[in-house]
Amino acid sequence: MDFLKSAVASAISQGPPFPYTFGDKVDIDASIWTLYNGTRRADGSNCSIFAFDVPANKARLPLAKNAVKKLRTMRHPGVIKVLDTVETDSYIYIATERVVPLRWHVKRKSLSPETVKWGLYSIARTVKFINDEGSSVHGSLRVASIYTSESGEWKLGGFEVLSNVKDDEAVIYTYGSLVPDAARYTPPELARSGWDTLKKSPHSAVDAYNFGTTIFEVFNGDFMGADQAGQTKGIPPSMHAGYKRLVNANPKARITVGAFLEQGRRSGGFFDSPLIKLTEGIDNLGVKSETEKEEFLDDLDQLTDDFPEEFFKMKVLPELLKSVEFGGGGPKAFGVVMKISKKLSNEDFESRVQPVVVRLFGNPDRAIRVCLLDNLPHMIDRLSQKVVNDKIFPQMVSGFADVAPVVREQTLKSVLVVISKLSDRTINGELLKQLAKTANDEQPGIRTNTTICLGKIAKNLGASSRTKVLLAAFTRSLRDPFVHARNAALLALAATSEYFTEEDCAARLLPAICPSLLDKEKLVRDQANKTLEVYLQRVRKAAAGMPDTVQPPPQTTEGAGPRMSTPQPSEASSWAGWAISSFTNKLAAASGEIQTTRVEVRSPEPDPSRRVPSTTSSASALHRQAVKSPSPAPPLSRNSSTSAAEAYFKDPEPIEDDAGDAWGDMGDMDDDGNAFFDASSEPAKTVKKESVASPQPLDDGSEPDFAGWLAAQAKKSTPGGGSKPLPKGLTKANGKTSTTTAAKKPLTSRPATKVVAKKIDTKPKDADDDDGWGDGW
């Protein structure tokens, strides 16, 4: 083999330039030619090279020269396409399109019956053209003369004795018997009387007989001689009648190949098949009318998987792609493209189909866009991540805002298909931005599908924004008026529970789910119970692992204790038990009697061994002291000119009390409807300034005395008592403290101030939304 290649290369170097490179030798039947695979040096494209060695076959040189001449002049789609020829005294080379001998397929029996019919139809058309339009005789028609191209089409060669019947010096009369294996395929009349008999019989009779033997050979493998002519073994029954007439022993009784072709093309004939109709119509698909195009595409869609893959890849697919992109083929043509693409390798798909798909996504035709999105699952595995993320998805984005709901919905469904091919930046940026819009779509079905989509792509979302997006989207859907949207939100919450913290489950999700337990639709109520159980289990599991308390152990001193004690295990039987015992403990430590009215104290100097809290402060003031005192204050001096409680109530600008506002105006009413913490309704008795005992701060060791702190601040603000200014609201315009005047005014003269409940803003704070995703949802 290496020697042969070197000999060929040496011959080429000595002759005219031949811009093709020889490759492997191809095995063929007995022939005057040696067939090689080759490549074109200019572009590396495939070709075949028929080589004839002149010194070794001088007797058959006229056959080789006739073949070169006829191949160059006979132009027909069914004839092997010639690229270049070279003739010297040493060799003859014919460079053609890349072909494979049909004998290979026949031996392997790799051809389906429909493909064989399609191939015979193509050869019959070519022979008819040679006989009728060319007024010629092929003279050597057999399987060995037929090749298949890269597109799978059957191409006719073997033009060694092809002759025009009007030429008296035609090669066929003189050299017909020199063709290899000529005796096996020669018609009976020629075997008896020689090739000159052609002049006495119809010139198409030889090709008709050889076409019949070719039919037998294709279906059975080999034709051994005239004895097998007429046998119908393996031949489809629909061909029997026409086949027998082709191989009739009487040349004048034979039908022509053209007649056999017309017989097969009749309705219901053996050549009446979608595959053959496709072959006839594919070349002029772009110029067909809309009706013809619809019929053609319907025939294409009816094709089974039993079609020649190479033909569809090389011939049909390019024409269909052109029709879809430029010729108005529409979605139906693209559907056939996808059907053919299933047979393509990844390399062929990338080179032939992918560029057109990318361009089609930029097509504004809605029908094309929906068709592309419908077929996206069939081709997504063959599209690279770079192509999807950088070229296809940016074109898909326009579908989210299309005015046609079907485009928006189909685009939304396609997110699940392309999500694996999108980058994190695209997912957490442009995609979430578009989903935030479809979550508010006017179409309830699109809103529902958005919730479903988010639930399914939750694992693909960024960890930093996932919780915020899902919380905002699902809780919003729980309030959707569309029943299936609410149900989808509950389903999505149940499926994505792993992405929420226990705090989110308890504080945000459970309160959001609970209203659905009383939804008007049973479908929603049932799902709400299931979803609620999922989150309750998470919360219970988290609570089971928490410590009993995080409070430090209580530290008490003699004679003093906390105002509210920690509930003991024995008190757990009643939820109010701990509160009652706490007040009991406090009453045991208190001394003195509770007065409902202020009493005049005559003792000029109080007994230091027994300090009683000043009765000038009302019970309500004491209560507020216990609740609002920010820090303990030192005892006031005995010569204090005012009561701390009176100073607190005299404040012209009430100090903000958030806790009170949050609870609202409780009314301070007792069981009988009277003011609970009000002072006595009787006028207060006059108390002499010098006989008022210095109020003793109520130091319980745990909470500060807010009234005492105010009195201390008042003392510091008096002349000579320090320069630190009083808190806002305790200073009059003339610079004197307001507590002096307040001390002279009865407590009951101050009008009751209505406590207005402060509205609690339940809207999430902006600061809580770091990325701003909540706003979008």
Side-chain angles (χ1 to χ4, degrees):
M1 185 67 185
D2 293 337
F3 171 76
L4 182 61
K5 285 185 178 181
S6 61
V8 170
S10 176
I12 292 175
S13 62
Q14 297 175 3
F18 189 63
Y20 299 88
T21 302
F22 283 77
D24 298 331
K25 182 181 178 181
V26 178
D27 294 330
I28 57 175
D29 288 348
S31 174
I32 67 171
W33 302 96
T34 303
L35 180 60
Y36 298 91
N37 288 329
T39 55
R40 187 176 182 179
R41 294 195 188 105
D43 55 10
S45 58
N46 294 330
C47 69
S48 291
I49 301 174
F50 290 84
F52 179 80
D53 186 1
V54 174
N57 294 282
K58 285 186 178 181
R60 293 173 173 171
L61 180 61
L63 299 179
K65 288 188 175 184
N66 184 70
V68 173
K69 177 182 178 182
K70 297 300 181 181
L71 281 172
R72 295 177 67 177
T73 57
M74 188 70 66
R75 299 292 182 180
H76 189 271
V79 175
I80 295 176
K81 182 180 180 180
V82 177
L83 303 177
D84 200 355
T85 60
V86 172
E87 296 184 51
T88 66
D89 294 338
S90 302
Y91 57 84
I92 298 176
Y93 296 146
I94 306 175
T96 68
E97 60 180 318
R98 175 64 65 87
V99 293
V100 173
L102 179 63
R103 177 67 67 185
W104 287 14
H105 302 289
V106 172
K107 284 184 177 180
R108 292 197 300 263
K109 296 182 179 181
S110 59
L111 300 173
S112 68
E114 287 301 316
T115 302
V116 172
K117 289 181 182 179
W118 169 64
L120 289 174
Y121 173 80
S122 178
I123 296 301
R125 290 177 60 192
T126 306
V127 173
K128 177 181 181 296
F129 173 79
I130 292 173
N131 291 160
D132 297 347
E133 283 79 4
S135 302
S136 302
V137 179
H138 185 280
S140 183
L141 186 59
R142 64 190 74 170
V143 168
S145 302
I146 303 173
Y147 301 83
T148 59
S149 66
E150 287 186 302
S151 62
E153 296 173 275
W154 290 19
K155 301 284 185 164
L156 184 59
F159 284 6
E160 290 80 12
V161 293
L162 190 147
S163 303
N164 190 315
V165 294
K166 298 177 182 179
D167 185 4
D168 294 335
E169 302 295 329
V171 173
I172 194 171
Y173 300 126
T174 307
Y175 299 97
S177 59
L178 294 180
V179 177
D181 282 341
R184 189 161 30 129
Y185 298 98
T186 301
E189 67 274 12
L190 296 184
R192 292 192 302 267
S193 306
W195 288 91
D196 287 337
T197 310
L198 285 172
K199 299 177 181 179
K200 302 176 183 178
S201 303
H203 70 278
S204 61
V206 174
D207 289 341
Y209 180 87
N210 287 150
F211 187 75
T213 60
T214 301
I215 293 175
F216 180 88
E217 198 170 17
V218 168
F219 283 107
N220 294 281
D222 285 305
F223 180 77
M224 304 307 298
D227 295 340
Q228 290 182 324
Q231 294 183 8
T232 58
K233 178 183 177 182
I235 299 175
S238 58
M239 283 187 180
H240 286 177
Y243 159 71
K244 289 180 179 180
R245 295 186 65 185
L246 285 172
V247 295
N248 194 300
N250 183 1
K252 295 182 180 180
R254 294 173 194 156
I255 61 172
T256 64
V257 175
F260 179 81
L261 180 65
E262 292 299 325
Q263 190 181 56
R265 293 179 64 179
R266 295 172 185 171
S267 178
F270 45 83
F271 286 153
D272 183 19
S273 68
L275 183 58
I276 293 175
K277 290 180 180 179
L278 165 68
T279 306
E280 292 181 329
I282 192 63
D283 292 332
N284 57 354
L285 178 61
V287 297
K288 287 181 178 291
S289 66
E290 291 297 324
T291 303
E292 293 174 336
K293 193 176 297 183
E294 286 292 327
E295 293 177 355
F296 174 76
L297 293 174
D298 285 339
D299 291 339
L300 265 180
D301 203 31
Q302 294 173 7
L303 292 177
T304 63
D305 294 338
D306 193 22
F307 55 72
E309 299 177 16
E310 295 301 319
F311 175 73
F312 276 75
K313 180 177 74 174
M314 303 294 294
K315 296 286 290 186
V316 178
L317 186 62
E319 293 296 329
L320 287 176
L321 288 173
K322 286 191 293 185
S323 176
V324 172
E325 192 171 7
F326 307 111
K332 183 174 288 188
F334 190 79
V336 180
V337 167
M338 288 293 99
K339 187 174 182 179
I340 298 173
S341 298
K342 294 178 182 178
K343 297 288 186 178
L344 301 180
S345 64
N346 291 335
E347 293 76 12
D348 288 335
F349 182 88
E350 183 178 353
S351 61
R352 298 177 184 276
V353 180
Q354 179 176 291
V356 179
V357 169
V358 172
R359 291 195 297 268
L360 286 177
F361 266 102
N363 193 318
D365 189 344
R366 288 193 180 96
I368 291 293
R369 173 62 63 86
V370 173
C371 183
L372 286 169
L373 296 175
D374 284 340
N375 287 279
L376 200 54
H378 303 306
M379 54 182 169
I380 189 64
D381 292 335
R382 298 189 174 195
L383 298 172
S384 66
Q385 182 175 3
K386 183 175 179 61
V387 169
V388 174
N389 189 77
D390 298 346
K391 296 181 179 180
I392 292 181
F393 184 76
Q395 300 290 346
M396 283 178 56
V397 168
S398 62
F400 287 106
D402 196 90
V403 296
V406 64
V407 177
R408 299 201 302 274
E409 184 170 11
Q410 199 60 43
T411 304
L412 178 61
K413 291 179 179 179
S414 299
V415 170
L416 300 180
V417 180
V418 302
I419 190 69
S420 61
K421 297 295 181 78
L422 300 180
S423 65
D424 293 341
R425 182 175 182 180
T426 302
I427 293 173
N428 296 287
E430 186 63 31
L431 177 59
L432 285 183
K433 177 182 176 182
Q434 298 301 329
L435 293 181
K437 296 178 181 178
T438 56
N440 298 320
D441 197 275
E442 61 182 5
Q443 296 292 326
I446 295 179
R447 298 198 302 270
T448 303
N449 285 335
T450 301
T451 302
I452 295 172
C453 178
L454 279 170
K456 292 186 176 182
I457 68 171
K459 62 180 181 295
N460 302 100
L461 301 181
S464 61
S465 61
R466 176 166 50 207
T467 301
K468 294 179 182 179
V469 170
L470 298 183
L471 275 172
F474 295 161
T475 53
R476 182 187 182 93
S477 294
L478 287 174
R479 303 188 300 272
D480 198 290
F482 188 52
V483 55
H484 295 291
R486 301 196 299 274
N487 190 57
L490 292 168
L491 289 169
L493 282 170
T496 58
S497 60
E498 60 184 294
Y499 301 116
F500 302 107
T501 64
E502 285 76 8
E503 290 76 11
D504 289 332
C505 295
R508 304 187 67 176
L509 290 173
L510 287 175
I513 295 171
C514 284
S516 300
L517 297 173
L518 294 177
D519 195 274
K520 295 180 180 179
E521 300 291 336
K522 186 177 185 300
L523 174 69
V524 178
R525 294 196 300 271
D526 292 344
Q527 185 58 45
N529 277 283
K530 296 176 183 178
T531 304
L532 188 70
E533 187 60 30
V534 171
Y535 284 92
L536 282 176
Q537 289 179 3
R538 283 204 60 191
V539 172
R540 288 166 182 163
K541 184 177 180 181
M546 296 176 66
D548 293 343
T549 181
V550 295
Q551 298 293 335
Q555 297 179 359
T556 60
T557 58
E558 186 177 356
R563 294 182 63 90
M564 308 296 281
S565 63
T566 304
Q568 302 301 320
S570 61
E571 300 166 353
S573 60
S574 174
W575 67 273
W578 64 272
I580 296 172
S581 64
S582 175
F583 280 114
T584 304
N585 294 337
K586 191 63 183 177
L587 290 173
S591 59
E593 297 180 358
I594 299 178
Q595 302 290 334
T596 58
T597 59
R598 287 187 294 181
V599 284
E600 183 177 351
V601 181
R602 298 297 182 182
S603 175
E605 303 225 351
D607 185 0
S609 65
R610 181 176 180 180
R611 296 184 179 180
V612 182
S614 173
T615 56
T616 59
S617 297
S618 69
S620 178
L622 292 177
H623 173 68
R624 288 188 173 87
Q625 291 173 19
V627 174
K628 293 295 290 182
S629 299
S631 61
L636 295 176
S637 61
R638 295 183 60 182
N639 58 359
S640 177
S641 61
T642 183
S643 165
E646 291 176 338
Y648 175 76
F649 281 102
K650 185 59 180 176
D651 185 7
E653 297 182 12
I655 299 175
E656 294 183 2
D657 186 359
D658 291 336
D661 291 341
W663 284 97
D665 186 5
M666 297 180 63
D668 293 338
M669 304 296 288
D670 61 11
D671 295 337
D672 297 329
N674 302 320
F676 188 65
F677 283 124
D678 261 8
S680 174
S681 59
E682 298 180 5
K685 297 180 181 180
T686 304
V687 181
K688 293 183 179 181
K689 179 179 179 180
E690 64 273 10
S691 63
V692 177
S694 300
Q696 175 68 22
L698 187 61
D699 186 5
D700 58 3
S702 61
E703 296 193 16
D705 183 3
F706 189 54
W709 177 80
L710 285 173
Q713 296 300 320
K715 179 180 178 182
K716 292 180 181 180
S717 63
T718 55
S723 60
K724 187 174 182 180
L726 286 173
K728 181 180 179 182
L730 297 182
T731 305
K732 297 178 67 175
N734 58 5
K736 296 180 180 181
T737 60
S738 61
T739 57
T740 304
T741 307
K744 298 177 182 180
K745 194 171 183 179
L747 181 64
T748 56
S749 64
R750 186 178 184 271
T753 303
K754 184 177 180 180
V755 180
V756 181
K758 184 178 180 179
K759 293 183 179 179
I760 302 174
D761 187 8
T762 59
K763 184 179 179 181
K765 300 295 186 289
D766 293 338
D768 221 6
D769 193 359
D770 298 336
D771 299 330
W773 287 114
D775 297 338
W777 295 96

